[in-house]
């Protein structure tokens, strides 16, 4: 079954993704992680994405949709996948819907993690990310056991360029303008489980797992 993990930047999507994927035996597809991999490898796509990401803007719909469509055709996605950070605009949702219909696939549920904007600013500016494996931490709420080191792969954890205060504001504006309307588009079409993401990481995790398994 396909699942969409939806919510504003900093809601905790990346933090919760591994537990959902493990519970459902589906792969994690994060469009943000895909772009960061291209950025790190210095590909043409990475260069293009960087110009949007560092301004807090969205990468153009067609570019994102082509990447997701090609990822979804890989064999490990045959029984479903977790889409994290996609769709982020109504046109992306429409393109996904068309692709799913054409490929006899479907999305069984949406998990919407809801968190107030003032909390998001504190979460994003304190976030630290392992650029090697994508794991995220928080300097106060969820620090790695050894300061500055990822406990999953031992690489260095750093602050993403787009987690600077100015870019965070731009990303939250982009979310309100372009991404929040996607929820209203999804609601009549798919089961949406809205979870209060302001609670502790473990609490949010168990609420998500009972929503999808219940
Ligand atoms: P997203 O993928 O939705 O942008 P992340 O999972 O990267 O969000 O989380 C953003 C930041 O908030 C990270 O620093 C993470 O450690 C922290 N965080 C995630 N969930 C919680 C929570 N329930 N309570 C406190 N901090 C959290
Ligand atoms: P966050 O975890 O904070 O929500 P992501 O890692 O998902 O951020 O995304 C980082 C950036 O990558 C976004 O601000 C945007 O520029 C770009 N991006 C990721 N997913 C999409 C998408 N579906 N459509 C357009 N741009 C995207
Ligand atoms: Zn790591």
């Amino acid at each position: 079954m396909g699942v969409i993990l939806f919510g504003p930047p900093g809601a905790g999507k990346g933090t919760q993704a591994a537990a959902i994927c493990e519970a459902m035996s589906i792969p994690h597809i994060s469009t943000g992680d895909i772009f960061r991999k291209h950025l790190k490898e210095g590909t043409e796509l990475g260069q293009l994405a960087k110009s949007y990401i560092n301004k807090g803007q969205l990468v153009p719909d067609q570019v994102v949709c082509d990447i997701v469509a090609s990822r979804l055709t890989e064999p490990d996605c045959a029984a479903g996948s977790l889409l994290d950070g996609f769709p982020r605009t109504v046109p992306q949702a429409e393109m996904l819907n068309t692709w799913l219909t054409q490929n006899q696939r479907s999305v069984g549920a949406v998990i919407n993690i809801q968190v107030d904007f003032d909390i998001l600013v504190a979460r994003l500016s304190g976030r630290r990310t392992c650029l090697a494996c994508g794991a995220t931490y928080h300097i106060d709420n969820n620090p790695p056991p050894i300061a500055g080191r990822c406990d999953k792969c031992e690489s260095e954890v750093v602050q993403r360029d787009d987690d600077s205060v100015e870019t965070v504001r731009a990303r939250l504006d982009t979310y309100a303008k372009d991404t929040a309307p996607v929820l209203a588009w999804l609601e009549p079409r798919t089961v949406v489980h809205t979870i209060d993401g302001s609670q502790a990481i473990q609490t949010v995790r168990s609420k998500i797992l009972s929503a999808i398994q219940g």
Side-chain angles (χ1 to χ4, degrees), residues 130-135 137 150-157:
C130 170
L131 295 179
C133 78
Y137 301 89
C150 176
D151 69 337
K152 306 208 167 49
C153 77
E154 296 188 353
S155 300
E156 191 191 358
V157 303

Side-chain angles (χ1 to χ4, degrees), residues 16-193:
Q16 302 296 342
I20 303 169
C21 289
E22 197 183 315
M24 303 192 70
S25 302
I26 53 176
H28 178 206
I29 303 180
S30 155
T31 42
D33 283 352
I34 295 174
F35 289 135
R36 278 184 292 281
K37 185 160 179 279
H38 279 274
L39 256 158
K40 209 170 135 205
E41 291 169 357
T43 68
E44 216 173 293
L45 173 64
Q47 286 302 316
L48 173 89
K50 189 180 177 176
S51 60
Y52 297 95
I53 293 174
N54 286 349
K55 283 188 233 141
Q57 296 170 358
L58 296 177
V59 176
D61 290 333
Q62 195 62 56
V63 175
V64 188
C65 289
D66 287 349
I67 290 169
V68 173
S70 116
R71 179 67 187 90
L72 287 175
T73 52
E74 288 178 35
D76 63 328
C77 296
S81 55
L82 181 71
L83 291 171
D84 164 1
F86 179 89
R88 249 176 159 102
T89 65
V90 170
Q92 288 180 18
E94 285 167 343
M95 281 192 247
L96 173 66
N97 197 32
T98 305
W99 189 93
L100 292 170
T101 309
Q102 283 169 350
N103 290 275
Q104 288 93 46
R105 304 257 196 105
S106 62
V107 163
V110 176
I111 296 159
N112 170 37
I113 309 183
Q114 206 169 46
V115 178
D116 287 348
F117 272 34
D118 50 342
I119 301 180
L120 296 174
V121 175
R123 283 198 187 172
L124 291 166
S125 27
R127 172 160 69 182
R128 295 295 179 272
T129 303
C130 170
L131 295 179
C133 78
T136 58
Y137 301 89
H138 190 279
I139 45 170
D140 304 315
N141 307 339
N142 185 25
I146 301 172
R149 284 277 136 220
C150 176
D151 69 337
K152 306 208 167 49
C153 77
E154 296 188 353
S155 300
E156 191 191 358
V157 303
V158 296
Q159 182 170 38
R160 273 167 47 179
D161 288 342
D162 62 333
D163 279 343
S164 65
V165 176
E166 315 80 72
T167 316
V168 161
R169 299 253 171 233
R171 286 159 64 204
L172 293 174
D173 288 347
T174 301
Y175 175 83
K177 182 168 143 286
D178 297 322
T179 308
V182 175
L183 196 62
W185 190 93
L186 290 167
E187 258 159 356
R189 295 169 170 88
T190 321
V191 182
V192 177
H193 302 286

